[in-house]
Amino acid sequence: MRKPCCDKKETHKGAWTKQEDQKLIHYIHTHGEGSWRTLPMAAGLHRCGKSCRLRWINYLRPDIKRGNFAQDEEDLIIKLHALLGNRWSLIAGRLPGRTDNEVKNYWNSHIKRKLIRIGIDPNNHRLNQTLPRPQNQSMSNLTTSSESTNDASKPLKAFTDNDRVSVNASCLEDDNSSSNELNLNLDLTIAIPCAFSLFEGKKGQEKELKVAKESESDQLPTLLLFR
DNA sequence: AAACATCGCAACCGCCCCCAA
DNA sequence: GTTGGGGGCGGTTGCGATGTT
């Protein structure tokens, strides 16, 4: 039986206080990251090591970019999700200053609903045949800031000229196929010098390469990647 | 103005992988 | 080759903020 990572009776939970943040920042500035299990005691924090790690990585790290996602970032998330699935850490790794948690939250709260609303299954990035879809509805009509509702079950909203172009990818019906598969004309341009550099991680390199191969071979939808 | 609904995000939980012993 | 600890990841939850009725 594995020991719990920390004594739950002794650890604080919930929102972090400014004092706790300061202690964590100060400790990491002087000692560096790592040894998360022993860090809380050394830093004088009554927190689980995992909690400290999460707080640092998702919130306190100085290189974190906060605020709204830019249009190109959103585009890239969609493209990478089509390629990698829910591998948020890999996706976040291609978005400088963004964390996996942030990307995951943004996907679940914005992008996923947006895709559903226009009749695209966010799981496989294919047109969902069960959902009604307006004629000639293009992904270019997706909105970001002007969403008035996020309820996917509501009727599709009529888009206006003022609506922001969200995905500069074309959504095309497959000419010679009866399946309504989605072709995304994708341009992986943000911080990706080469598609193969997606998988240049250190520790999990082998795994990531495997993931890439799997993605290429099986569930990848009709996704066209252009360099 | 109050009650209720919805959204967005920080944080937690539990599982899995890696690696050293 | 096996085992156990540490770290990382993805899914889920909780709660404050905001919007709607």
Side-chain angles (χ1 to χ4, degrees), chain A residues 87-110:
Chain A
R87 273 100 173 185
W88 304 116
S89 60
L90 284 179
I91 295 172
R94 307 314 308 172
L95 290 156
R98 299 297 188 182
T99 68
D100 54 355
N101 209 34
E102 203 177 3
V103 171
K104 179 172 60 182
N105 283 335
Y106 190 70
W107 174 268
N108 286 325
S109 60
H110 292 86

PDB file of all heavy atoms in Angstrom, chain A residues 87-110:
ATOM      1  N   ARG A  87      -3.744  15.787 -24.620  1.00  0.00           N
ATOM      2  CA  ARG A  87      -2.396  15.835 -24.021  1.00  0.00           C
ATOM      3  C   ARG A  87      -2.065  17.292 -23.744  1.00  0.00           C
ATOM      4  O   ARG A  87      -1.278  17.920 -24.459  1.00  0.00           O
ATOM      5  CB  ARG A  87      -1.367  15.210 -24.942  1.00  0.00           C
ATOM      6  CG  ARG A  87      -1.223  13.713 -24.773  1.00  0.00           C
ATOM      7  CD  ARG A  87      -1.969  12.976 -25.844  1.00  0.00           C
ATOM      8  NE  ARG A  87      -1.712  11.536 -25.790  1.00  0.00           N
ATOM      9  CZ  ARG A  87      -2.177  10.692 -26.688  1.00  0.00           C
ATOM     10  NH1 ARG A  87      -2.938  11.129 -27.675  1.00  0.00           N
ATOM     11  NH2 ARG A  87      -1.933   9.406 -26.584  1.00  0.00           N
ATOM     12  N   TRP A  88      -2.666  17.797 -22.701  1.00  0.00           N
ATOM     13  CA  TRP A  88      -2.613  19.241 -22.436  1.00  0.00           C
ATOM     14  C   TRP A  88      -1.206  19.737 -22.206  1.00  0.00           C
ATOM     15  O   TRP A  88      -0.870  20.852 -22.579  1.00  0.00           O
ATOM     16  CB  TRP A  88      -3.511  19.580 -21.251  1.00  0.00           C
ATOM     17  CG  TRP A  88      -4.898  19.132 -21.456  1.00  0.00           C
ATOM     18  CD1 TRP A  88      -5.590  18.198 -20.733  1.00  0.00           C
ATOM     19  CD2 TRP A  88      -5.811  19.545 -22.490  1.00  0.00           C
ATOM     20  NE1 TRP A  88      -6.853  18.016 -21.247  1.00  0.00           N
ATOM     21  CE2 TRP A  88      -7.017  18.821 -22.317  1.00  0.00           C
ATOM     22  CE3 TRP A  88      -5.717  20.439 -23.547  1.00  0.00           C
ATOM     23  CZ2 TRP A  88      -8.120  18.985 -23.165  1.00  0.00           C
ATOM     24  CZ3 TRP A  88      -6.806  20.604 -24.388  1.00  0.00           C
ATOM     25  CH2 TRP A  88      -7.990  19.893 -24.194  1.00  0.00           C
ATOM     26  N   SER A  89      -0.410  18.942 -21.566  1.00  0.00           N
ATOM     27  CA  SER A  89       0.955  19.400 -21.291  1.00  0.00           C
ATOM     28  C   SER A  89       1.743  19.545 -22.589  1.00  0.00           C
ATOM     29  O   SER A  89       2.550  20.461 -22.737  1.00  0.00           O
ATOM     30  CB  SER A  89       1.656  18.449 -20.334  1.00  0.00           C
ATOM     31  OG  SER A  89       1.722  17.165 -20.891  1.00  0.00           O
ATOM     32  N   LEU A  90       1.495  18.631 -23.523  1.00  0.00           N
ATOM     33  CA  LEU A  90       2.175  18.745 -24.814  1.00  0.00           C
ATOM     34  C   LEU A  90       1.685  19.976 -25.571  1.00  0.00           C
ATOM     35  O   LEU A  90       2.467  20.702 -26.185  1.00  0.00           O
ATOM     36  CB  LEU A  90       1.915  17.496 -25.658  1.00  0.00           C
ATOM     37  CG  LEU A  90       2.678  16.232 -25.285  1.00  0.00           C
ATOM     38  CD1 LEU A  90       2.276  15.099 -26.203  1.00  0.00           C
ATOM     39  CD2 LEU A  90       4.170  16.481 -25.355  1.00  0.00           C
ATOM     40  N   ILE A  91       0.392  20.191 -25.521  1.00  0.00           N
ATOM     41  CA  ILE A  91      -0.175  21.348 -26.205  1.00  0.00           C
ATOM     42  C   ILE A  91       0.352  22.629 -25.569  1.00  0.00           C
ATOM     43  O   ILE A  91       0.803  23.546 -26.263  1.00  0.00           O
ATOM     44  CB  ILE A  91      -1.711  21.306 -26.152  1.00  0.00           C
ATOM     45  CG1 ILE A  91      -2.228  20.099 -26.948  1.00  0.00           C
ATOM     46  CG2 ILE A  91      -2.313  22.587 -26.689  1.00  0.00           C
ATOM     47  CD1 ILE A  91      -3.718  19.841 -26.811  1.00  0.00           C
ATOM     48  N   ALA A  92       0.322  22.664 -24.245  1.00  0.00           N
ATOM     49  CA  ALA A  92       0.791  23.863 -23.545  1.00  0.00           C
ATOM     50  C   ALA A  92       2.274  24.110 -23.810  1.00  0.00           C
ATOM     51  O   ALA A  92       2.729  25.256 -23.835  1.00  0.00           O
ATOM     52  CB  ALA A  92       0.539  23.731 -22.044  1.00  0.00           C
ATOM     53  N   GLY A  93       3.003  23.033 -24.028  1.00  0.00           N
ATOM     54  CA  GLY A  93       4.426  23.174 -24.305  1.00  0.00           C
ATOM     55  C   GLY A  93       4.716  23.944 -25.577  1.00  0.00           C
ATOM     56  O   GLY A  93       5.816  24.466 -25.761  1.00  0.00           O
ATOM     57  N   ARG A  94       3.737  24.007 -26.456  1.00  0.00           N
ATOM     58  CA  ARG A  94       3.917  24.755 -27.702  1.00  0.00           C
ATOM     59  C   ARG A  94       3.344  26.157 -27.616  1.00  0.00           C
ATOM     60  O   ARG A  94       3.372  26.897 -28.595  1.00  0.00           O
ATOM     61  CB  ARG A  94       3.254  24.026 -28.874  1.00  0.00           C
ATOM     62  CG  ARG A  94       3.666  22.589 -29.024  1.00  0.00           C
ATOM     63  CD  ARG A  94       5.151  22.365 -28.922  1.00  0.00           C
ATOM     64  NE  ARG A  94       5.938  23.223 -29.811  1.00  0.00           N
ATOM     65  CZ  ARG A  94       7.258  23.312 -29.796  1.00  0.00           C
ATOM     66  NH1 ARG A  94       7.953  22.629 -28.903  1.00  0.00           N
ATOM     67  NH2 ARG A  94       7.877  24.105 -30.634  1.00  0.00           N
ATOM     68  N   LEU A  95       2.822  26.502 -26.464  1.00  0.00           N
ATOM     69  CA  LEU A  95       2.262  27.843 -26.270  1.00  0.00           C
ATOM     70  C   LEU A  95       3.075  28.536 -25.183  1.00  0.00           C
ATOM     71  O   LEU A  95       2.821  28.319 -24.004  1.00  0.00           O
ATOM     72  CB  LEU A  95       0.791  27.751 -25.860  1.00  0.00           C
ATOM     73  CG  LEU A  95      -0.151  27.273 -26.945  1.00  0.00           C
ATOM     74  CD1 LEU A  95      -1.395  26.665 -26.354  1.00  0.00           C
ATOM     75  CD2 LEU A  95      -0.513  28.414 -27.871  1.00  0.00           C
ATOM     76  N   PRO A  96       4.025  29.349 -25.552  1.00  0.00           N
ATOM     77  CA  PRO A  96       4.911  29.971 -24.579  1.00  0.00           C
ATOM     78  C   PRO A  96       4.140  30.725 -23.498  1.00  0.00           C
ATOM     79  O   PRO A  96       3.256  31.516 -23.808  1.00  0.00           O
ATOM     80  CB  PRO A  96       5.731  30.938 -25.432  1.00  0.00           C
ATOM     81  CG  PRO A  96       5.642  30.414 -26.812  1.00  0.00           C
ATOM     82  CD  PRO A  96       4.306  29.759 -26.929  1.00  0.00           C
ATOM     83  N   GLY A  97       4.464  30.424 -22.253  1.00  0.00           N
ATOM     84  CA  GLY A  97       3.838  31.141 -21.147  1.00  0.00           C
ATOM     85  C   GLY A  97       2.493  30.607 -20.721  1.00  0.00           C
ATOM     86  O   GLY A  97       1.900  31.100 -19.770  1.00  0.00           O
ATOM     87  N   ARG A  98       2.010  29.594 -21.400  1.00  0.00           N
ATOM     88  CA  ARG A  98       0.721  29.017 -21.030  1.00  0.00           C
ATOM     89  C   ARG A  98       0.935  27.696 -20.316  1.00  0.00           C
ATOM     90  O   ARG A  98       1.846  26.945 -20.642  1.00  0.00           O
ATOM     91  CB  ARG A  98      -0.147  28.788 -22.267  1.00  0.00           C
ATOM     92  CG  ARG A  98      -0.467  30.046 -23.043  1.00  0.00           C
ATOM     93  CD  ARG A  98      -1.285  31.022 -22.225  1.00  0.00           C
ATOM     94  NE  ARG A  98      -1.751  32.142 -23.036  1.00  0.00           N
ATOM     95  CZ  ARG A  98      -2.458  33.155 -22.554  1.00  0.00           C
ATOM     96  NH1 ARG A  98      -2.737  33.215 -21.252  1.00  0.00           N
ATOM     97  NH2 ARG A  98      -2.844  34.132 -23.335  1.00  0.00           N
ATOM     98  N   THR A  99       0.050  27.401 -19.365  1.00  0.00           N
ATOM     99  CA  THR A  99       0.172  26.162 -18.618  1.00  0.00           C
ATOM    100  C   THR A  99      -0.848  25.154 -19.117  1.00  0.00           C
ATOM    101  O   THR A  99      -1.852  25.516 -19.738  1.00  0.00           O
ATOM    102  CB  THR A  99      -0.070  26.397 -17.121  1.00  0.00           C
ATOM    103  OG1 THR A  99      -1.450  26.740 -16.929  1.00  0.00           O
ATOM    104  CG2 THR A  99       0.801  27.527 -16.609  1.00  0.00           C
ATOM    105  N   ASP A 100      -0.569  23.896 -18.809  1.00  0.00           N
ATOM    106  CA  ASP A 100      -1.504  22.856 -19.239  1.00  0.00           C
ATOM    107  C   ASP A 100      -2.883  23.075 -18.632  1.00  0.00           C
ATOM    108  O   ASP A 100      -3.907  22.876 -19.284  1.00  0.00           O
ATOM    109  CB  ASP A 100      -0.974  21.465 -18.901  1.00  0.00           C
ATOM    110  CG  ASP A 100      -0.607  21.307 -17.449  1.00  0.00           C
ATOM    111  OD1 ASP A 100      -0.670  22.302 -16.698  1.00  0.00           O
ATOM    112  OD2 ASP A 100      -0.237  20.194 -17.046  1.00  0.00           O
ATOM    113  N   ASN A 101      -2.890  23.496 -17.371  1.00  0.00           N
ATOM    114  CA  ASN A 101      -4.171  23.741 -16.705  1.00  0.00           C
ATOM    115  C   ASN A 101      -4.951  24.854 -17.397  1.00  0.00           C
ATOM    116  O   ASN A 101      -6.162  24.760 -17.594  1.00  0.00           O
ATOM    117  CB  ASN A 101      -3.923  24.123 -15.247  1.00  0.00           C
ATOM    118  CG  ASN A 101      -5.055  23.719 -14.338  1.00  0.00           C
ATOM    119  OD1 ASN A 101      -5.697  22.696 -14.546  1.00  0.00           O
ATOM    120  ND2 ASN A 101      -5.319  24.527 -13.333  1.00  0.00           N
ATOM    121  N   GLU A 102      -4.254  25.877 -17.774  1.00  0.00           N
ATOM    122  CA  GLU A 102      -4.894  27.018 -18.424  1.00  0.00           C
ATOM    123  C   GLU A 102      -5.451  26.612 -19.788  1.00  0.00           C
ATOM    124  O   GLU A 102      -6.575  26.964 -20.148  1.00  0.00           O
ATOM    125  CB  GLU A 102      -3.863  28.146 -18.585  1.00  0.00           C
ATOM    126  CG  GLU A 102      -4.472  29.515 -18.709  1.00  0.00           C
ATOM    127  CD  GLU A 102      -3.400  30.591 -18.789  1.00  0.00           C
ATOM    128  OE1 GLU A 102      -2.195  30.261 -18.805  1.00  0.00           O
ATOM    129  OE2 GLU A 102      -3.776  31.773 -18.828  1.00  0.00           O
ATOM    130  N   VAL A 103      -4.654  25.866 -20.530  1.00  0.00           N
ATOM    131  CA  VAL A 103      -5.087  25.408 -21.847  1.00  0.00           C
ATOM    132  C   VAL A 103      -6.300  24.490 -21.710  1.00  0.00           C
ATOM    133  O   VAL A 103      -7.288  24.610 -22.439  1.00  0.00           O
ATOM    134  CB  VAL A 103      -3.947  24.677 -22.577  1.00  0.00           C
ATOM    135  CG1 VAL A 103      -4.445  24.007 -23.843  1.00  0.00           C
ATOM    136  CG2 VAL A 103      -2.829  25.651 -22.902  1.00  0.00           C
ATOM    137  N   LYS A 104      -6.209  23.608 -20.730  1.00  0.00           N
ATOM    138  CA  LYS A 104      -7.307  22.668 -20.495  1.00  0.00           C
ATOM    139  C   LYS A 104      -8.597  23.416 -20.149  1.00  0.00           C
ATOM    140  O   LYS A 104      -9.670  23.127 -20.693  1.00  0.00           O
ATOM    141  CB  LYS A 104      -6.909  21.725 -19.362  1.00  0.00           C
ATOM    142  CG  LYS A 104      -7.930  20.704 -18.986  1.00  0.00           C
ATOM    143  CD  LYS A 104      -7.349  19.710 -17.993  1.00  0.00           C
ATOM    144  CE  LYS A 104      -6.881  20.349 -16.712  1.00  0.00           C
ATOM    145  NZ  LYS A 104      -6.281  19.391 -15.782  1.00  0.00           N
ATOM    146  N   ASN A 105      -8.483  24.378 -19.243  1.00  0.00           N
ATOM    147  CA  ASN A 105      -9.653  25.163 -18.859  1.00  0.00           C
ATOM    148  C   ASN A 105     -10.215  25.937 -20.050  1.00  0.00           C
ATOM    149  O   ASN A 105     -11.422  26.024 -20.226  1.00  0.00           O
ATOM    150  CB  ASN A 105      -9.299  26.146 -17.742  1.00  0.00           C
ATOM    151  CG  ASN A 105      -9.201  25.468 -16.399  1.00  0.00           C
ATOM    152  OD1 ASN A 105      -9.804  24.431 -16.168  1.00  0.00           O
ATOM    153  ND2 ASN A 105      -8.418  26.041 -15.503  1.00  0.00           N
ATOM    154  N   TYR A 106      -9.335  26.497 -20.839  1.00  0.00           N
ATOM    155  CA  TYR A 106      -9.783  27.289 -21.972  1.00  0.00           C
ATOM    156  C   TYR A 106     -10.483  26.394 -22.995  1.00  0.00           C
ATOM    157  O   TYR A 106     -11.494  26.772 -23.587  1.00  0.00           O
ATOM    158  CB  TYR A 106      -8.610  28.016 -22.617  1.00  0.00           C
ATOM    159  CG  TYR A 106      -9.048  29.038 -23.645  1.00  0.00           C
ATOM    160  CD1 TYR A 106      -9.693  30.201 -23.240  1.00  0.00           C
ATOM    161  CD2 TYR A 106      -8.842  28.837 -25.005  1.00  0.00           C
ATOM    162  CE1 TYR A 106     -10.119  31.140 -24.166  1.00  0.00           C
ATOM    163  CE2 TYR A 106      -9.260  29.761 -25.936  1.00  0.00           C
ATOM    164  CZ  TYR A 106      -9.894  30.909 -25.519  1.00  0.00           C
ATOM    165  OH  TYR A 106     -10.316  31.831 -26.439  1.00  0.00           O
ATOM    166  N   TRP A 107      -9.934  25.232 -23.173  1.00  0.00           N
ATOM    167  CA  TRP A 107     -10.564  24.284 -24.097  1.00  0.00           C
ATOM    168  C   TRP A 107     -11.972  23.936 -23.611  1.00  0.00           C
ATOM    169  O   TRP A 107     -12.933  23.996 -24.361  1.00  0.00           O
ATOM    170  CB  TRP A 107      -9.718  23.018 -24.217  1.00  0.00           C
ATOM    171  CG  TRP A 107     -10.390  21.952 -25.030  1.00  0.00           C
ATOM    172  CD1 TRP A 107     -11.203  20.947 -24.566  1.00  0.00           C
ATOM    173  CD2 TRP A 107     -10.359  21.805 -26.454  1.00  0.00           C
ATOM    174  NE1 TRP A 107     -11.650  20.184 -25.607  1.00  0.00           N
ATOM    175  CE2 TRP A 107     -11.162  20.683 -26.774  1.00  0.00           C
ATOM    176  CE3 TRP A 107      -9.721  22.506 -27.484  1.00  0.00           C
ATOM    177  CZ2 TRP A 107     -11.340  20.244 -28.077  1.00  0.00           C
ATOM    178  CZ3 TRP A 107      -9.902  22.067 -28.784  1.00  0.00           C
ATOM    179  CH2 TRP A 107     -10.707  20.957 -29.072  1.00  0.00           C
ATOM    180  N   ASN A 108     -12.070  23.563 -22.342  1.00  0.00           N
ATOM    181  CA  ASN A 108     -13.351  23.103 -21.819  1.00  0.00           C
ATOM    182  C   ASN A 108     -14.389  24.215 -21.737  1.00  0.00           C
ATOM    183  O   ASN A 108     -15.579  23.976 -21.903  1.00  0.00           O
ATOM    184  CB  ASN A 108     -13.160  22.474 -20.435  1.00  0.00           C
ATOM    185  CG  ASN A 108     -12.521  21.110 -20.523  1.00  0.00           C
ATOM    186  OD1 ASN A 108     -12.760  20.355 -21.452  1.00  0.00           O
ATOM    187  ND2 ASN A 108     -11.673  20.788 -19.564  1.00  0.00           N
ATOM    188  N   SER A 109     -13.941  25.430 -21.461  1.00  0.00           N
ATOM    189  CA  SER A 109     -14.912  26.490 -21.247  1.00  0.00           C
ATOM    190  C   SER A 109     -15.207  27.294 -22.503  1.00  0.00           C
ATOM    191  O   SER A 109     -16.245  27.933 -22.590  1.00  0.00           O
ATOM    192  CB  SER A 109     -14.442  27.430 -20.134  1.00  0.00           C
ATOM    193  OG  SER A 109     -13.217  28.009 -20.468  1.00  0.00           O
ATOM    194  N   HIS A 110     -14.319  27.295 -23.472  1.00  0.00           N
ATOM    195  CA  HIS A 110     -14.554  28.100 -24.669  1.00  0.00           C
ATOM    196  C   HIS A 110     -14.584  27.269 -25.953  1.00  0.00           C
ATOM    197  O   HIS A 110     -15.596  27.182 -26.631  1.00  0.00           O
ATOM    198  CB  HIS A 110     -13.453  29.162 -24.803  1.00  0.00           C
ATOM    199  CG  HIS A 110     -13.497  30.212 -23.760  1.00  0.00           C
ATOM    200  ND1 HIS A 110     -12.885  30.060 -22.536  1.00  0.00           N
ATOM    201  CD2 HIS A 110     -14.100  31.429 -23.733  1.00  0.00           C
ATOM    202  CE1 HIS A 110     -13.092  31.146 -21.817  1.00  0.00           C
ATOM    203  NE2 HIS A 110     -13.820  32.001 -22.518  1.00  0.00           N
TER     204      HIS A 110
END
